[in-house]
Amino acid sequence: MHQPEQDHALLLESRTVLPTDHGVFTTCAYTFGDVTHVAMLMGEPAQAEAPIVRMHSECLTGDTLGSHRCDCGDQLEAALQAIAAEGTGILLYLRGHEGRGIGLAAKLRAYALQDQGMDTVDANRALGLPDDARDYTAAAEMLRDLGCSTVRLLSSNPAKAEALTSLGITVADRVVLPVVDRPENSHYLQTKRQRMRHDPLAGRVSVEEDTFPVYRTLASNSEVVAQLAQSADGFIAARGGDAEFVSGEADRTHLHHLRAAVDAVLVGATTVTRDDPQLTVRAVQGENPVRVLLDPRARIPVASRVLQSADARTLWLVGQDTEVPSGCGEHVEIVRLPASAAGSSAGADGAAGTSIEPAAVLRVVREHISGSILVEGGGKSVSAFLSAGLLDRLFLTVAPVLIGDGVPGVRFEGSKVMGEALRAPFRRYTFEEDVCTEFVLSQAARDHDAAQIAGQSAAQAVGHATVQNTGQEFDAR
């Protein structure tokens, strides 16, 4: 950051009221040097021991145009919500801070370099610009004029607190607003955490705490998502079919959260015959989803737990003319797949030499299930739904283990050149030693994420977490 300029006088230009979606704020225009800034006040912050304060840097693209390349617009909304919920506080809207102080045109040039693969820090440096050129002298002067020499700062950036402290303002606490990363800005924000000392999202979070917003998003919408855990070299099981504990306990807890969030979980016949899974919610609180067994030749043994245990309603999807053995539980409903479901060898998991078209399967399932559906396995089924363009999200966990040769994980017909490879916005979660990437594949999923952020309540906004300096974003350790 630039060294503060001390040779300007602060001038209060005007004072009025501003009604907003978050309440009525007293709004002051201050000019410092040649730049006019805005202070938005609610309540009597000068009477508070340490009012909450947000120093918000001007961002035309994020605050006004709704860009998702940064989180500025979301941070602005969350800060106003937090101040309104507390009833007392200040938002300082600092102009001249566009692009961390490099200006609008330079910021857009840096965006162009980021489009080519640079991160936000390297892009600035390639243009001969500083990582952060912002000056907070005006903010300190405004706070002094408003009678607030001690504050609680709403920020995940320790450099802001350090700057205010050096300017004579006491920062009694620094609070991270619970703003969720978007797929479009996840890499940008992770760069700031790794290279610019920004804090993890709301401190450390645990998968056991059900804090990941995507669980609520899936529960309140109708999506088709897939989950797969594989080794670092791309296998979901050893050569002999042993798939137990490819990933660790935290990733398995994440899987149970997904099961609890969806209405149905779909697996292929090979997964059931190999693993004899229960497909129920056990590691977390929640209702069991409907089990959907994709088995056109009725290969699943009748003694399998999914056909004997009445823990969950079960749909057994079999071929039109397939003979189904007797002896399964009353909770099992036989559903005949239409003849049109027969597909190529690239289709979803059936039997050796057979496959079915994922779109036809989904149409059949949708006659019984209206909410979100989790395609849980195996690798062939997940790959087929992905290749068919039917997935809204894919949760792909990579475990730090090398199998060498085994049952393949995600596999589909790829592109001949890297420029045509499948790329999508993503989030990344750290589950102990495993790393899970959530690919947000559809526009519907991105819209659902945006609605989730927009719908955050004022209670969430003010339910802040005091900053911790350890852990990683979405760290389940």
Side-chain angles (χ1 to χ4, degrees):
M1 295 185 183
H2 283 332
Q3 292 296 318
E5 300 177 9
Q6 303 286 359
D7 56 348
H8 297 299
L10 184 73
L11 176 63
L12 175 62
E13 301 275 10
S14 62
R15 185 182 182 95
T16 185
V17 294
L18 193 66
T20 75
D21 291 340
H22 306 287
V24 178
F25 287 80
T26 298
T27 304
C28 303
Y30 284 99
T31 296
F32 186 77
D34 297 324
V35 181
T36 298
H37 311 278
V38 172
M40 297 177 65
L41 292 72
M42 182 171 282
E44 297 293 338
Q47 304 303 315
E49 181 178 348
I52 56 173
V53 171
R54 167 72 181 174
M55 296 196 304
H56 191 85
S57 295
E58 175 186 27
C59 178
L60 174 68
T61 52
D63 298 341
T64 305
L65 302 181
S67 168
H68 295 165
R69 294 191 69 142
C70 63
D71 65 340
C72 298
D74 296 331
Q75 290 279 357
L76 178 60
E77 286 296 304
L80 292 172
Q81 282 185 352
I83 293 170
E86 186 146 317
T88 299
I90 302 172
L91 185 136
L92 302 178
Y93 196 86
L94 303 174
R95 298 183 61 243
H97 280 201
E98 189 79 51
R100 300 196 298 273
I102 65 175
L104 179 59
K107 181 177 83 170
L108 296 180
R109 287 195 292 271
Y111 277 177
L113 293 178
Q114 292 172 46
D115 293 340
Q116 299 172 22
M118 290 188 184
D119 65 29
T120 181
V121 173
D122 287 339
N124 277 31
R125 293 176 181 178
L127 294 171
L129 299 171
D131 299 348
D132 193 335
R134 288 173 292 186
D135 171 21
Y136 294 102
T137 308
E141 293 297 321
M142 292 161 69
L143 289 172
R144 267 190 283 269
D145 188 72
L146 294 169
C148 299
S149 59
T150 301
V151 302
R152 288 180 291 133
L153 189 63
L154 296 175
S155 177
S156 61
N157 184 0
K160 287 187 175 182
E162 293 164 1
L164 277 186
T165 300
S166 70
L167 293 164
I169 301 296
T170 299
V171 179
D173 193 10
R174 187 161 53 81
V175 175
V176 179
L177 288 165
V179 172
V180 182
D181 290 12
R182 295 179 183 267
E184 296 89 346
N185 62 32
S186 178
H187 177 67
Y188 164 76
L189 296 175
Q190 187 65 9
T191 298
K192 293 207 293 185
R193 291 164 187 144
Q194 292 175 344
R195 303 190 65 183
M196 301 184 73
R197 299 190 298 133
H198 282 228
D199 299 298
L201 179 62
R204 293 170 65 96
V205 295
S206 169
V207 71
E208 287 81 5
E209 296 171 358
D210 192 14
T211 52
F212 299 161
V214 69
Y215 303 145
R216 295 186 290 275
T217 300
L218 294 177
S220 58
N221 293 283
S222 180
E223 295 189 14
V224 180
V225 302
Q227 185 276 346
L228 205 63
Q230 61 185 36
S231 64
D233 51 350
F235 297 100
I236 62 173
R239 185 186 306 172
D242 179 15
E244 189 172 11
F245 304 148
V246 172
S247 59
E249 182 178 353
D251 181 61
R252 294 194 295 276
T253 301
H254 164 63
L255 171 59
H256 282 249
H257 274 298
L258 291 177
R259 288 180 183 172
V262 301
D263 285 6
V265 56
L266 182 151
V267 297
T270 301
T271 297
V272 179
T273 56
R274 183 186 65 217
D275 301 338
D276 193 21
Q278 299 179 62
L279 303 180
T280 53
V281 178
R282 302 182 302 281
V284 301
Q285 295 294 319
E287 296 184 4
N288 293 330
V290 175
R291 297 181 290 214
V292 180
L293 313 178
L294 187 53
D295 187 15
R297 291 190 177 181
R299 294 188 299 129
I300 297 175
V302 172
S304 299
R305 286 189 285 189
V306 291
L307 295 181
Q308 293 299 320
S309 172
D311 291 336
R313 176 188 173 202
T314 302
L315 305 179
W316 194 1
L317 275 55
V318 300
Q320 279 286 330
D321 302 321
T322 300
E323 183 178 349
V324 179
S326 60
C328 57
E330 295 182 357
H331 65 288
V332 179
E333 178 181 350
I334 307 300
V335 178
R336 297 287 178 176
L337 292 165
S340 60
S344 68
S345 60
D349 185 21
T354 68
S355 62
I356 56 177
E357 290 293 342
V361 173
L362 186 57
R363 286 193 294 269
V364 171
V365 176
R366 281 296 181 210
E367 294 176 1
H368 303 267
I369 304 296
S370 59
S372 290
I373 300 168
L374 172 64
V375 182
E376 193 174 313
K380 187 175 181 181
S381 294
V382 170
S383 299
F385 275 80
L386 175 64
S387 183
L390 297 175
L391 294 181
D392 295 293
R393 304 174 197 266
L394 169 64
F395 296 89
L396 184 63
T397 297
V398 176
V401 60
L402 299 173
I403 294 177
D405 182 23
V407 180
V410 173
R411 297 287 191 277
F412 60 96
E413 185 176 355
S415 58
K416 294 182 179 179
V417 295
M418 282 300 298
E420 298 175 0
L422 177 59
R423 300 179 187 273
F426 65 91
R427 291 186 181 92
R428 191 155 285 153
Y429 307 81
T430 301
F431 296 146
E432 297 175 344
E433 71 271 17
D434 304 321
V435 176
C436 174
T437 301
E438 174 197 352
F439 295 93
V440 185
L441 300 168
S442 73
Q443 184 59 51
R446 292 190 281 274
D447 291 343
H448 295 160
D449 287 338
Q452 172 70 34
I453 292 176
Q456 285 180 333
S457 66
Q460 286 176 298
V462 76
H464 57 263
T466 301
V467 170
Q468 300 181 27
N469 293 320
T470 60
Q472 296 180 339
E473 174 196 6
F474 295 128
D475 190 344
R477 288 176 287 184

